């Protein structure tokens, strides 16, 4: 009788998930201690395949889900690999650092404003530094997990009704945007152009 009244995952519920992310060979990519919290119902808080599998289930439900690249972060795009003059980047510069956008080759040589180069959709890509030479920097605009088949183990920890404000904002209150596989270096928080996490990039989506 009690089970009939347990809240189930449906549109406009806030879901807390434990998860483990591995590659196709079961090598662990992420297994955080804190749960992922997202707004269920097509708000891009998680991948559609995961939402579809979780829909209608309640607390305690768990599942193992395999996502092909087309269902996760897409195929690897070699055109997103760029080589830029090192002089356009701040120092110190290290492999693994991330930038929102890259310098436009047509702008003035002395204008290293990395946030000006934006995507066609007005959303700047997040570029990761993959190599640093004396005069050049190699940047990769692909998500680190692009081109990979991924396996998720998920377990539902909590479900609650979303507030009107959460529905309006299309994400849970205080919820953090999860960017799987992206480095998170809190030491770079002081630089507005450098970001440790791609807060606007796809998350479990």
């Amino acid at each position: 009788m009690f089970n009939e009244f347990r809240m189930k995952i449906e549109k406009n519920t806030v879901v807390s998930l434990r998860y483990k992310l591995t590659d196709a060979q079961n090598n662990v990519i992420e297994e955080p201690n804190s749960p992922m919290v997202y707004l269920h119902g097509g708000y891009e808080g998680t991948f559609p395949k995961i939402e579809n599998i979780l829909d209608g289930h309640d607390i305690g439900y768990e599942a193992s889900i395999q996502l092909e690249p087309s269902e996760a972060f897409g195929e690897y795009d070699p055109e997103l690999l760029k080589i830029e003059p090192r002089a356009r980047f701040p120092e110190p510069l290290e492999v693994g650092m991330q930038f929102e956008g890259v310098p436009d080759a047509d702008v003035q040589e002395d204008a290293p404003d990395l946030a000006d180069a934006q995507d066609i959709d007005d959303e700047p890509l997040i570029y990761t530094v993959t190599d640093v030479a004396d005069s050049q920097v190699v940047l990769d605009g692909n998500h680190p997990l692009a081109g990979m088949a991924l396996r998720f183990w998920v377990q539902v920890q909590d479900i609650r009704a979303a507030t009107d404000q959460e529905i309006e904002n299309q994400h849970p209150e205080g919820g953090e945007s999860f960017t799987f596989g992206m480095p998170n270096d809190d030491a770079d928080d002081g630089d507005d152009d450098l970001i440790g996490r791609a807060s606007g990039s796809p998350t479990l989506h």
Side-chain angles (χ1 to χ4, degrees):
M1 185 72 176
F2 172 74
N3 288 337
E4 296 179 7
F5 296 98
R6 293 181 68 177
M7 178 169 286
K8 296 186 181 298
I9 297 175
E10 60 184 12
K11 187 175 178 64
N12 296 333
T13 55
V14 174
V15 182
S16 297
L17 292 177
R18 285 184 58 205
Y19 74 91
K20 179 169 70 172
L21 171 61
T22 65
D23 62 18
Q25 289 72 45
N26 288 322
N27 298 307
V28 176
I29 298 173
E30 286 187 4
E31 189 175 9
N33 293 323
S34 55
M36 180 193 75
V37 182
Y38 79 96
L39 177 60
H40 189 86
Y43 296 105
E44 301 186 349
T46 188
F47 295 112
K49 186 173 183 178
I50 292 180
E51 278 210 347
N52 291 338
I53 289 174
L54 294 177
D55 200 63
H57 290 286
D58 55 18
I59 294 174
Y61 175 76
E62 61 181 274
S64 295
I65 306 160
Q66 175 148 335
L67 301 181
E68 297 304 318
S70 61
E71 298 170 315
F73 294 102
E75 300 292 347
Y76 187 87
D77 184 357
E79 293 187 1
L80 294 181
L81 201 62
K82 297 182 180 295
I83 299 177
E84 299 289 337
R86 180 167 181 167
R88 297 189 181 185
F89 293 83
E91 295 290 349
L93 187 64
E94 299 176 358
V95 171
M97 287 183 171
Q98 292 181 313
F99 293 89
E100 188 174 279
V102 296
D104 191 329
D106 295 327
V107 300
Q108 297 178 4
E109 290 292 325
D110 59 350
D113 187 353
L114 305 178
D116 284 346
Q118 294 208 344
D119 199 40
I120 295 175
D121 297 328
D122 291 327
E123 288 189 10
L125 284 174
I126 304 303
Y127 285 88
T128 302
V129 177
T130 59
D131 195 14
V132 178
D134 289 340
S135 60
Q136 293 180 323
V137 177
V138 180
L139 301 170
D140 193 344
N142 289 280
H143 188 281
L145 302 181
M148 294 177 60
L150 302 174
R151 292 176 178 172
F152 283 92
W153 170 83
V154 297
Q155 183 182 60
V156 181
Q157 282 199 319
D158 190 36
I159 308 166
R160 65 172 175 82
T163 66
D164 291 340
Q165 184 174 2
E166 288 173 325
I167 295 171
E168 181 180 353
N169 294 335
Q170 300 190 5
H171 62 79
E173 182 178 356
E176 181 178 5
S177 179
F178 281 73
T179 53
F180 301 96
M182 303 294 274
N184 185 16
D185 188 354
D186 293 335
D188 293 326
D189 287 348
D191 191 324
D192 291 339
D193 287 327
L194 267 177
I195 59 172
R197 247 184 168 158
S199 58
S201 67
T203 62
L204 256 180
H205 145 254

